[in-house]
Amino acid sequence: MAHTKTYIVAENWGKGFIEHSESAKFTISGFPGNIWQVPAHNKDANLWINKVLGVVKTKDEAQAIVDAEVQAAQAAWDLLSDEEKAIRDRPADITLVE
């Protein structure tokens, strides 16, 4: 099956990281661990990847990064007091899709 999504690692520097004109041309989804998902084989997405100095990862590599971030957040939640747990949800697992 052909890949429909490209996963990259790129640090979000804030304003200008994703311009309105870019998000109007293609869908950008962010995940824990500075993982970003964009359409594969898309000229505008590829230009954005170059702009943000993104490093392309396989889906499995990206999933491992997301899993590590989520597990760290879950471990931190597990250490909270019962009062704090009552007002915060435990971070949920995230599964990346093609």
Side-chain angles (χ1 to χ4, degrees), residues 14 22 66 74:
E22 294 162 338
V66 170
Q74 290 171 338

Side-chain angles (χ1 to χ4, degrees), residues 7-68:
Y7 293 94
I8 68 161
V9 174
E11 188 169 344
N12 183 344
W13 63 74
K15 185 175 173 127
F17 182 72
I18 302 172
E19 299 285 347
H20 175 73
S21 61
E22 294 162 338
S23 64
K25 293 177 184 176
F26 60 95
T27 302
I28 306 169
S29 300
F31 298 94
N34 288 315
I35 296 293
W36 301 91
Q37 178 193 65
V38 297
H41 315 295
N42 179 294
K43 176 185 172 185
D44 294 313
N46 288 337
L47 290 170
W48 179 78
I49 291 168
N50 287 333
K51 178 188 106 171
V52 300
L53 304 176
V55 177
V56 175
K57 298 291 183 183
T58 66
K59 180 178 168 278
D60 290 341
E61 291 170 332
Q63 184 68 62
I65 294 168
V66 170
D67 288 348

